[in-house]
Amino acid sequence: MQTDNLNRPDTMTRYEYIERCQSPYDWVARISAIRCRLENISPTDNIQFTFSDEIDLQYLQPIHIVTLACLLASYISPSRKVTLRAGESVENFLREDLHLEQYFSDAPHIGASQLSIFNLWKVDNEQTFGYSHSLSAYLKRSYFKGKDLSAFTNALNELYANVADHADANGIAYSYIHFDEKIGKIKIAFCDFGIGIPTCLKRAGITPAEGCGYVQWATKPGVSAKSSQHNAGKGLDDVISSLPGKYDRLKILSEDELFIVGEKIAPDGTCSRIEKTLYQPLCFKGTLIHFEYDISELENEEIIGESDLLNDFDW
């Protein structure tokens, strides 16, 4: 798959091999290592990324898609040809189903060929909330009629707002959402190659409490870098609070901090939120957020009158 048609005979080509990794964070570490190796690449050097033959469609999850999109977007330029080689089924998925190449033009969203694929979304300041509302409306029409998706929509709104307002990613920010009908879960991943949450808070003069990491501190109620007035005082706590049921599906990786939100069940059956931060040996320059949304825990929608306002609205 070629992301640019330019071919200059006077340039050299850099080759990067991407292996199948056992865990998503091993994959992210490989992506980070590639970024380090290409940090001082000449603006006219071409790049060829090659997937291992072991990377198939079953392997690719939202976390892989968003980090790959950010990686490719980092090196696309008028003076460089960037290509991606993969197995036939993977290439067909990226080109024909996901339309990956088109995302490096001015189009933030292109319709998918499969109903359960909601595609990439290029996060920008001008369309912060448009996609989350249109996606929620689509889900209600296609899968979850009569279910209350307001919390899901609010979570996406907060994530898009946080990326647009705080990431300083120079347009290298993508989300990918996929509904896995077999397990009944919506899988969500956000990735940006921006300044990272710790750096963002440091620039705003915010210091975490003792024993608390920067990412963990950013999820506390009221903590915000206040880059934008509409987002001041809100934050990732709103995202966590909106998740139904168990919290153990949400993880945030930024710079050297991996923050995990979990759940502790007491002997009497009551649940409480627990948090932990793991420090990674290889710094991830940016922020990666991913979680799953269990549709079995969606509540029924409270009907106002006899009309379903969200379904009736023409998005």
Side-chain angles (χ1 to χ4, degrees), residues 130-201:
Y131 183 46
S132 56
H133 287 287
S134 61
L135 173 61
S136 296
Y138 169 77
L139 285 172
K140 286 179 67 67
R141 288 194 304 269
S142 303
Y143 297 103
F144 312 129
K145 186 173 180 61
K147 293 294 184 179
D148 184 1
L149 293 178
S150 58
F152 175 75
T153 306
N154 290 338
L156 294 184
N157 283 342
E158 277 301 318
L159 288 170
Y160 285 120
N162 271 279
V163 173
D165 292 342
H166 306 313
D168 195 14
N170 195 29
I172 304 177
Y174 292 88
S175 70
Y176 181 73
I177 301 173
H178 172 69
F179 175 44
D180 192 328
E181 296 184 69
K182 294 182 179 179
I183 62 175
K185 293 180 180 179
I186 304 172
K187 298 180 178 180
I188 301 113
F190 281 71
C191 183
D192 69 75
F193 280 6
I195 60 174
I197 293 174
T199 297
C200 181
L201 293 187

Side-chain angles (χ1 to χ4, degrees), residues 195-237:
I195 60 174
I197 293 174
T199 297
C200 181
L201 293 187
K202 290 174 185 177
R203 288 183 179 180
I206 298 174
T207 302
E210 185 176 354
C212 186
Y214 279 95
V215 177
Q216 182 178 5
W217 192 245
T219 66
K220 301 300 182 183
V223 175
S224 173
K226 299 182 180 178
S227 305
S228 175
Q229 184 61 39
H230 78 269
N231 203 35
K234 297 182 180 181
L236 295 171
D237 177 69

Side-chain angles (χ1 to χ4, degrees), residues 254-290:
S254 190
E255 300 184 39
D256 64 343
E257 296 183 15
L258 173 60
F259 174 65
I260 303 172
V261 182
E263 182 183 61
K264 182 178 181 180
I265 303 177
D268 62 359
T270 59
C271 301
S272 59
R273 173 171 154 181
I274 58 173
E275 305 171 348
K276 64 179 177 180
T277 297
L278 303 176
Y279 290 91
Q280 306 299 297
L282 186 61
C283 180
F284 177 74
K285 297 179 180 179
T287 300
L288 173 65
I289 302 174
H290 65 106

